[in-house]
Amino acid sequence: MHFSFSVMASEQQLSAIKGSKVLMVGAGGIGCELLKTLALSGFPDIHIIDMDTIEVSNLNRQFLFRQSHVGQSKAKVARDAVLKFRPDINITPYHANVKDPDFNTARRHVNRLCLAAGVPLVESGTTGFLGQVTVHVKGRTECYECQPKPAPKTYPVCTITSTPSKFVHCVVWAKDLLFAKLFGDRNQENDLNVHSKDGSSSSKQAEDVFERQKEENIEQYGKRIYDHVFGYNIELALSNEETWRNRNKPRPIYVKDVFSSELASQNGNLDKSSNGDPPSLSAMASLGLKNPQDLWTLKENSKVFLEALKLFFSKREKEIGNLSFDKDDQLAVEFVTAAANIRASSFGIPLHSLFEAKGIAGNIVHAVATTNAVIAGLIVIEAIKVLQHDIKNYRMTYCLEHPSRKMLLMPVEPFEPNKSCYVCSETPLDLEINTHCSKLRDVVDKIVKAKLGMNFPLIMHGSALLYEVGDDLEEDEVANYAANLEKVLSELPSPVTGGTILTVEDLQQELKCSINIKHREEFDEEKEPDGMILSGWTQPRAAEKNGKTAVDSEVSTSSASEAVPLETEDDDDLQIIPTITGKKRKLSDISNETKNKRKAEELDSKNDVVMLDDENSDMSKKKREQ
Amino acid sequence: MEIVTIWMLLYNTHEEISGTKHLVSWNNHLIPKFLRLKMDDEKLTEQETALYDRQIRVWGVDAQRRLRKSHVLVSGIKGTIVEFCKNIVLAGVGSLTVHDDRMVTEELLSANFLIPPVENVYSGKSIADLCCHSLKDFNPMVHVSVQKGDLLSFDVDFFGKFDVVVVSSCSLSTKISVNEKCRRLSKQVAFYTVDCRGSCGEIFVDLQNYIYSKGKADETVECLLEYLSFEEAISIPWRSLPRGLSKLYLVLRVIEQFEEIQGRTPGEISTADFLNVQKLRKELCQIHLLNESEIPDSLLQRLLAGGARESSPVCAIIGGILGQEVIKAISGKGEPLKNFFLFDAMDGKGIIQDISQVQAPETEFGMGSVERVENIL
Ligand SMILES: [Zn+2]
């Protein structure tokens, strides 16, 4: 076949493509587009890994999939679809997980594996009309972890439990507190009954409120829960005058206020419909509510709340105690929407539709096909440069929605590696910790796993092994390490105190780093809830950009081993947002960054200099509009 | 510069509501039919809501309903148009009519993922027939059909059946003619041209007089944009174009003009034409009072060498941007591109170029310089 010969420019490019072998991580929104563009561009050997199966909401943009594929492996279906128009290439699908269900962790994992293997990584993400493509080549450009990633948005506990002011606070309350309390693991800590700081909540007594009494029928139970969380708890919160001095007071809501006299007939209604054995369990279906975009009244929300609760206890009783919120669980979404809306009306916050509440509760990312197609094209352009070792032309490219400088697609030079990055340089980290109180387990859970993202850590103090995970350990070793986990640092067999240097290693990721221990007595419970502070891993980017010209020969030779992993993001994943709009490089910061860069780097190009002017005039226009 | 009039509409005050009426009564004829939807129009079905869930979260239910009511025509099916068709069929336009009577050849398949490269499947069939067949499969809710015939022979009424017309791979005079027919209609038809040449791509947009709304916090701002036709835009003397004009824009005008004069099909060029193209460049630059160095040899040569070939990544990028623009134009949401978009994979820049205003008052050239060029040759 000659198709690929007519596709892309030079002979050099073609021979680079022909000898390549690429791995794609993700066969979702960008993945489908990327696989297509790689195939059309003549890439002969493509490996694709994705653990997801196809869902209806994928079909509007993941164009390799059809209705009949729903439920099947993305990687496999994508392969078959592309082979139809390019039968002469090799595509190897893996229906598997890169490492972790949490994609951000997976990206870090892939980053480390690529650094270890010396294989370049092209990473990308999209949300709505925004997107970005970044090239990570060891020693030449920053790695995925050179810049700190913003933590997922969190809210102060008291905002959620006592003083919500936005709908999202109500959703978080409904999902993480109420839903978890009623249907999740009862042993989990839950702040549901925290009303105020004076400790007026009687935790033991309140605990029993959520237990369904032996003789209690489901309706009674539902109404009691309703009255407790929307009525009694609000009443209790109101008793603390201090809280409401500068806030609008919430209104307690009881079942009897909402339904007055008609509840009896409504009950009959519910009973009848729940016998119908609907195809998928849904309070909306039972109540005849059709459009998820509709705004429900307080009464409708209350009906949905009671009906959803009833359906859970009558039809899904076995799951209760193990449920966690899932955006694809219709009944769970209905329950959370209704609960959030009832709470919102209590606090005078505007109500939202199920469609909107689902988006908030499920962190559903906005996604369109066009952005993914554009980003996939940009990935292939970068990948071809990487295959040709065309280092000086590597670019990080942003796809923008409202270009400030008339540049819809904006390339910038990739950033250099962060010299204090604990992943790609060997800079030690500092850990402030109370070595007399904190256990080794705390360090493993809160630092090594949560912050450093290691899955199979090994911790050493000098030559003494303190902790290790693996399949090939002896029984006594396992017992030994388990015992160490429960010991405070200063009482370990090889005591860890201020001044100790710990070595932490993940053999699978070939990542090793040192942690300097600094002893500290006190930690602020509010601001430093971990009881320890890790520093050196969130260093801001070093300002200077000169002086790094040494060529790491290993990089250029080993990347000639022809494997370019192209990491692409499934746009269903909420972690994309940080990569694009997050702290790493805010879009609003770009113009300044690039402005300075461009002046230095491309003075010869008149166009660019003039474009800066364009931007300015554009800005003044925008101001006028406002 | 391009925003002629701006209405601020704060929907919650009396004053602003009367402002709205004012706008509607004065400009109703300016607003494309599909933007004059009544709010009580049919709701999306459950099936549509489920399928379009993620994109509705981007552009909202109203935009989705407008998309469903829109009719799009594309002519000249190569890689970029294939990408574009995929994008708007997935997005859920009402109908897509594809036009391209050429028989399928191996070359036409190069950047096309809609046609299996099996000779006994494609031989003897038109490219539009085969693409239509595949596109239907992408989204059963979109009506995809084929239009046969010569693009130049279609009359004004024919184009009136559509809300959006996109032409690709056709001559300069055909672009001008179709654009002009669209403009003669009382209803507003959005007109686009799109082409990829090697690693470069270009989009031209003519939305005539176009009103769009910009959402800001709690208010909506409505803006009016005035567009030029393709002929008007390319007739603006180069010297009077904004400083820092993309060189690619000028190079594409030279090559387009060359093909037109020589009677070549788009992309029917090679490096063998370099001397003649240089000659044309000289003449054009004399007319436009522009220094020839503004149209560099290297870029001319690169485009000549590229011929009619398309790069798949560039098709994906240009087809993606065009899809986004058409969706914006149909939904009336978001600022549309005005009026050229230029992309070059060599530097990776995707630039919006506004070619609509004679900038410097010093210019001695009015419209019609293109005709003068033809006379000289
Ligand atoms: Zn790094």
Side-chain angles (χ1 to χ4, degrees), chain A residues 33 36 60 370 608 625, chain B residues 55 83 86 214 324 349:
Chain A
E33 294 287 339
K36 172 256 305 166
N60 77 319
T370 50
D608 294 311
E625 279 168 33
Chain B
Q55 66 197 40
E83 288 279 349
K86 173 206 71 191
K214 254 191 203 176
Q324 220 145 290
K349 288 177 196 162

Side-chain angles (χ1 to χ4, degrees), chain B residues 238-258:
Chain B
W238 295 348
R239 206 187 142 81
S240 63
L241 290 172
R243 286 194 312 135
L245 176 72
S246 159
K247 292 181 168 59
L248 180 57
Y249 171 80
L250 297 173
V251 168
L252 288 170
R253 299 290 78 77
V254 174
I255 287 182
E256 191 175 65
Q257 189 75 31
F258 178 79

Side-chain angles (χ1 to χ4, degrees), chain A residues 76-350:
Chain A
K76 288 177 183 157
V77 175
R79 169 190 182 268
D80 296 344
V82 168
L83 287 182
K84 281 189 187 142
F85 61 84
R86 283 297 175 272
D88 52 341
I89 64 171
N90 288 311
I91 304 175
T92 314
Y94 307 89
H95 181 69
N97 198 341
V98 182
K99 186 68 239 162
D100 203 286
D102 173 356
F103 228 91
N104 207 31
T105 312
R107 291 172 153 217
R108 293 168 72 184
H109 190 76
V110 170
N111 181 47
R112 292 166 190 195
L113 295 181
C114 286
L115 285 168
V119 174
L121 171 68
V122 183
E123 184 263 331
S124 66
T126 66
T127 181
F129 295 119
L130 304 175
Q132 105 185 353
V133 175
T134 317
V135 189
H136 301 292
V137 179
K138 187 180 177 184
R140 307 307 298 250
T141 68
E142 63 178 359
C143 82
Y144 180 69
E145 292 171 89
C146 274
Q147 304 307 325
K149 302 289 178 291
K153 183 88 183 136
T154 57
Y155 302 95
V157 173
C158 59
T159 306
I160 301 302
T161 56
S162 315
T163 56
S165 57
K166 291 180 180 153
F167 187 67
V168 61
H169 302 149
C170 301
V171 171
V172 171
W173 175 85
K175 181 180 85 157
D176 293 350
L177 299 185
L178 187 59
F179 183 88
K181 186 77 185 176
L182 290 170
F183 310 118
D185 182 357
R186 290 190 187 251
N187 298 322
Q188 284 268 299
E189 265 182 60
N190 192 309
D191 296 316
L192 190 61
N193 269 302
V194 177
H195 308 298
S196 52
K197 281 183 187 159
D198 64 16
S200 65
S201 75
S202 41
S203 59
K204 192 62 221 149
Q205 205 184 329
E207 212 55 50
D208 303 330
V209 169
F210 294 98
E211 285 292 334
R212 189 172 153 201
Q213 313 295 318
K214 266 185 191 161
E215 308 287 287
E216 197 174 26
N217 76 34
I218 303 166
E219 264 99 34
Q220 283 172 340
Y221 174 66
K223 286 181 222 161
R224 193 163 58 73
I225 296 297
Y226 187 109
D227 284 347
H228 179 79
V229 297
F230 301 116
Y232 173 77
N233 273 4
I234 300 290
E235 213 99 53
L236 212 60
L238 279 169
S239 65
N240 189 339
E241 300 272 329
E242 190 61 32
T243 315
W244 312 107
R245 188 157 292 169
N246 297 313
R247 291 187 176 93
N248 291 328
K249 288 186 179 178
R251 172 175 67 101
I253 301 175
Y254 291 95
V255 174
K256 63 175 172 16
D257 307 334
V258 180
F259 294 106
S260 54
S261 59
E262 56 168 317
L263 197 58
S265 63
Q266 190 239 346
N267 271 345
N269 202 355
L270 295 187
D271 284 336
K272 196 177 61 193
S273 53
S274 55
N275 291 336
D277 206 20
S280 71
L281 218 47
S282 157
M284 277 177 76
S286 316
L287 297 167
L289 296 166
K290 289 220 172 68
N291 192 336
Q293 316 258 2
D294 284 344
L295 223 51
W296 301 332
T297 61
L298 174 60
K299 193 189 259 178
E300 283 168 328
N301 276 298
S302 303
K303 283 183 186 174
V304 171
F305 179 90
L306 294 170
E307 177 69 3
L309 193 126
K310 190 177 120 185
L311 287 174
F312 267 119
F313 276 90
S314 57
K315 307 271 166 146
R316 293 173 60 176
E317 200 158 14
K318 281 182 197 142
E319 298 166 67
I320 289 171
N322 309 309
L323 275 167
S324 54
F325 178 80
D326 173 0
K327 70 176 188 322
D328 298 315
D329 179 343
Q330 172 69 17
L331 194 58
V333 173
E334 291 171 350
F335 178 85
V336 165
T337 303
N341 274 327
I342 300 166
R343 187 167 173 83
S345 43
S346 196
F347 282 85
I349 296 165

